[in-house]
């Protein structure tokens, strides 16, 4: 059995929801491919170690062009583990299609998104509900003319999960026991 972890950093919950959708799609996709797998979805700040993880999908909301601190901290803390297992990265944002002219490959967090150990980095549209934002966040959203609404695509999330399942089904996964 392989253990697949979907880890997310989310400020208002919409990136976590993408992670949950990915987890559900990965479980179903791996089962359909007859891959014995356990898929777990956790917040990035809940993860103490990746020692028993065979593959990781790590995602973060993007604010001001940066991943959230809990995702960045996980990357910094677990670099050795990330180099030893297959890792896919995703960003949630911008809130609309303005930054996705390259088919979902925008890289707002260049240092992490271009890491040599990453299999892929995908950017999903985000969600903006000004009622959930702090005063400062509303000010920034207004300044950058961010569009309210849910710009996430369930079909896009499912298609990316299916690509990951195909890769995992073909990979010989070796448990990383350090």
């Amino acid at each position: 059995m392989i253990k697949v972890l979907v880890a997310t950093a989310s400020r208002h919950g919409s990136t976590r929801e993408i992670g949950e959708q990915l987890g559900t799609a990965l479980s179903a996709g791996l089962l359909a491919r007859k891959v014995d797998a356990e898929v777990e979805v956790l917040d990035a700040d809940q993860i103490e170690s990746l020692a028993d993880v065979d593959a990781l999908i790590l995602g973060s909301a993007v604010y001001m062009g940066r991943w959230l601190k809990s995702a960045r901290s996980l990357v910094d803390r677990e670099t050795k583990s990330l180099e030893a297992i297959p890792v896919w990265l995703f960003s949630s944002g911008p809130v609309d299609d303005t930054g996705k002219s390259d088919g979902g490959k925008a890289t707002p967090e260049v240092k992490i998104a271009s890491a040599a150990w990453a299999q892929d980095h995908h950017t999903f549209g985000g969600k903006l509900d000004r009622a959930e934002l702090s005063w400062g966040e509303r000010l920034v959203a207004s300044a950058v003319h961010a569009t309210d609404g849910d710009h996430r695509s369930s079909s896009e999330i499912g298609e990316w999960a299916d690509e990951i399942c195909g890769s995992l089904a073909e990979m010989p996964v070796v448990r990383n026991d350090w």
Side-chain angles (χ1 to χ4, degrees), residues 81-105:
S81 296
L82 296 171
E83 293 171 345
I85 61 174
V87 178
W88 288 264
L89 305 171
F90 73 91
S91 296
S92 175
V95 294
D96 57 26
D97 290 336
T98 58
K100 297 177 66 180
S101 61
D102 57 356
K105 301 294 182 189

Side-chain angles (χ1 to χ4, degrees), residues 2 4 26 30 33 35 37 54-57 86 88 161 163-173:
I2 64 169
V4 179
L26 289 165
L30 292 169
R33 289 173 171 81
V35 175
D54 297 306
L56 174 70
I57 294 83
W88 288 264
E163 289 175 26
I164 294 170
C165 287
S167 295
L168 286 172
E170 295 175 5
M171 285 185 181
V173 179

Side-chain angles (χ1 to χ4, degrees), residues 19-167:
E20 290 168 352
Q21 289 177 32
L22 284 168
T24 299
L26 289 165
S27 293
L30 292 169
L31 181 63
R33 289 173 171 81
K34 300 186 184 341
V35 175
D36 189 20
E38 173 190 345
V39 179
E40 186 175 16
V41 180
L42 292 173
D43 293 331
D45 58 4
Q46 293 179 300
I47 299 165
E48 294 179 17
S49 171
L50 296 175
D52 64 341
V53 174
D54 297 306
L56 174 70
I57 294 83
L58 174 61
S60 177
V62 176
Y63 285 84
M64 304 296 286
R66 293 179 53 113
W67 271 20
L68 295 178
K69 184 176 182 177
S70 61
R72 294 190 323 260
S73 294
L74 178 62
V75 169
D76 291 343
R77 189 174 69 245
E78 293 291 328
T79 300
K80 183 177 178 183
S81 296
L82 296 171
E83 293 171 345
I85 61 174
V87 178
W88 288 264
L89 305 171
F90 73 91
S91 296
S92 175
V95 294
D96 57 26
D97 290 336
T98 58
K100 297 177 66 180
S101 61
D102 57 356
K105 301 294 182 189
T107 54
E109 182 70 26
V110 174
K111 180 180 176 186
I112 293 173
S114 62
W117 41 260
Q119 302 287 317
D120 186 24
H121 175 262
H122 194 88
T123 301
F124 295 105
K127 177 182 173 186
L128 178 63
D129 179 355
R130 289 178 200 268
E132 294 180 3
L133 303 180
S134 69
W135 178 83
E137 291 171 327
R138 284 194 304 271
L139 185 62
V140 170
S142 293
V144 299
H145 306 289
T147 308
D148 283 40
D150 190 344
H151 305 278
R152 300 169 296 173
S153 167
S154 292
S155 62
E156 183 182 0
I157 294 166
E159 289 168 10
W160 195 59
D162 191 59
E163 289 175 26
I164 294 170
C165 287
S167 295

